[in-house]
Amino acid sequence: MEPNPSETRELVEELLEEWGDYEDASIMHQPAARRGKVITGADVARITAVIGLARHVHDTSRAVLLLFDAGHEAAATPLVRLAYEGALTAAWLVQSREQHGVLAFLHEHARTRAALKRDASQAMSSVYREGVNQLRDTDMTPYMGSLDSARQFAQVCDDLTPGGKEAYVLYWIVSAYSHASVQVVDLYFAPAATGGIPSSRAKADGTIGQSGLLFLTASAMIWSARAHSYLTQDKTH
């Protein structure tokens, strides 16, 4: 059965209202795999990452509603994709064993920063080359040895149960509208008859629909908040 857009919209609004009561939790706990162990820098990184991702999912969800209200469904789709990715990543961080997940998360951050530094050093503009030494977090050495990887989101989905291919397929669908792609071009043209010329649409149309986008938004909010409450151990939330 297809979700009812008005009911899902109401759910999103309720989740946003409730989140305001719990997002500033001051007491955080270790996940089960680290419970009772001395808190290290990686543990602090995991906690702050989950908090930051959960907060960003909810801030992004507010922006999604604003775009819907303004009639910009297509423009909201990349934000739904961002919320969805953030929520699954937060869930992955609390489910991963020992420090493997958070080390992979930090390693990917350092890897992309190192790649940026390398490319900027080869830029024609002196502004880029001179700013290279100001780039931080480019050393991957402290984060080596993880059995997990955050480089491909498909690998993150495969590590989740439930998740797997179904989770990645949904991510792939919304990602198609988040890059310069044929799907984005097709938003602005109606299908043409065989051999004909596509006709221009007055307004972008053809994403997965507001109903589906709201469903993914609500799901992302629940999953990210669940990862957050798992670390706060707030039973009410």
Side-chain angles (χ1 to χ4, degrees):
M1 179 181 296
E2 185 177 353
N4 184 302
S6 60
E7 292 178 355
T8 312
R9 168 65 184 254
E10 184 178 348
L11 173 60
V12 170
E13 292 174 344
E14 290 177 357
L15 290 169
L16 284 173
E17 183 177 353
E18 292 178 2
W19 175 247
D21 296 330
Y22 297 100
E23 65 174 317
D24 293 326
S26 58
I27 300 177
M28 307 297 286
H29 301 268
Q30 295 272 55
R34 294 286 299 163
R35 200 154 294 155
K37 297 184 179 181
V38 175
I39 295 178
T40 65
D43 293 314
V44 174
R46 180 193 301 104
I47 290 172
T48 55
V50 171
I51 293 173
L53 289 170
R55 292 183 64 181
H56 197 55
V57 166
H58 287 75
D59 281 349
T60 301
S61 299
R62 291 187 180 92
V64 167
L65 294 186
L66 289 174
L67 287 171
F68 281 165
D69 290 342
H72 298 301
E73 179 183 304
T77 306
L79 293 183
V80 175
R81 176 240 193 212
L82 176 61
Y84 181 79
E85 182 179 9
L88 290 189
T89 301
W92 177 71
L93 286 171
V94 298
Q95 287 187 24
S96 60
R97 293 186 178 183
E98 286 292 334
Q99 308 290 36
H100 294 296
V102 69
L103 287 179
F105 185 70
L106 296 173
H107 183 275
E108 179 59 13
H109 170 68
R111 186 192 69 80
T112 56
R113 298 285 289 179
L116 173 61
K117 183 176 183 178
R118 181 191 64 242
D119 291 342
S121 67
Q122 300 170 1
M124 293 182 63
S125 172
S126 61
V127 175
Y128 290 104
R129 296 196 304 272
E130 292 168 2
V132 161
N133 292 329
Q134 298 179 26
L135 287 172
R136 300 180 300 169
D137 302 334
T138 59
D139 183 10
M140 294 175 276
T141 307
Y143 316 122
M144 303 296 286
S146 173
L147 298 179
D148 289 331
S149 173
R151 186 167 185 174
Q152 300 291 335
F153 193 64
Q155 294 173 301
V156 172
C157 292
D158 285 342
D159 284 343
L160 291 171
T161 304
K165 296 302 180 186
E166 289 83 356
Y168 187 67
V169 166
L170 286 173
Y171 172 77
W172 186 93
I173 290 171
V174 289
S175 292
Y177 299 101
S178 306
H179 306 285
S181 65
V182 172
Q183 285 93 330
V184 168
V185 174
D186 285 346
L187 293 173
Y188 299 89
F189 293 92
T194 304
I197 300 175
S199 57
S200 176
R201 288 189 171 114
K203 183 179 179 181
D205 185 40
T207 66
I208 66 173
Q210 192 167 136
S211 178
L213 293 172
L214 281 170
F215 177 79
L216 285 179
T217 300
S219 299
M221 294 168 68
I222 291 171
W223 294 331
S224 65
R226 183 65 188 93
H228 184 275
S229 64
Y230 179 71
L231 295 182
T232 64
Q233 296 185 11
D234 190 317
K235 304 302 181 185
T236 303
H237 189 204

